[in-house]
Amino acid sequence: MTDRVPIPLEEIRADVADILDLPVAEVGVDDNLLAEGLDSVRLMALSARWRSRGVGVPYVELAKEPTIRKWSELFSAPAG
């Protein structure tokens, strides 16, 4: 079972902007992050960053719906 710890949407957005080397204002919460340049290596880096904060969401789940809004919902959903 994977633990889920809520991460505020704006914190997810800031982390994504950081990993993409973009200003936060340029990263929309509904943008397809793959189209914005998020590749598998960067997604793994984000996943590791969040795991270090106690958020355990499998890489595959993040890759399925790569938007900040969907990730925020995913982090808030019960594990299972």
Side-chain angles (χ1 to χ4, degrees):
M1 181 176 285
T2 304
D3 294 332
R4 300 285 167 85
V5 177
I7 299 177
L9 187 136
E10 287 303 317
E11 186 175 332
I12 298 168
R13 188 176 179 203
D15 286 342
V16 169
D18 179 56
I19 209 94
L20 293 176
D21 198 28
L22 293 171
V24 172
E26 289 186 21
V27 180
V29 296
D30 293 311
D31 290 352
N32 179 322
L33 299 173
L34 300 178
E36 296 297 321
L38 186 70
D39 57 23
S40 60
V41 173
R42 290 176 176 165
L43 183 53
M44 284 189 274
L46 276 172
S47 180
R49 181 183 295 192
W50 293 328
R51 259 194 323 274
S52 75
R53 296 182 195 161
V55 179
V57 177
Y59 170 90
V60 172
E61 288 187 48
L62 296 172
K64 278 184 197 175
E65 295 186 273
T67 70
I68 292 167
R69 186 178 312 277
K70 289 295 183 182
W71 289 352
S72 178
E73 293 169 6
L74 182 63
F75 294 149
S76 298

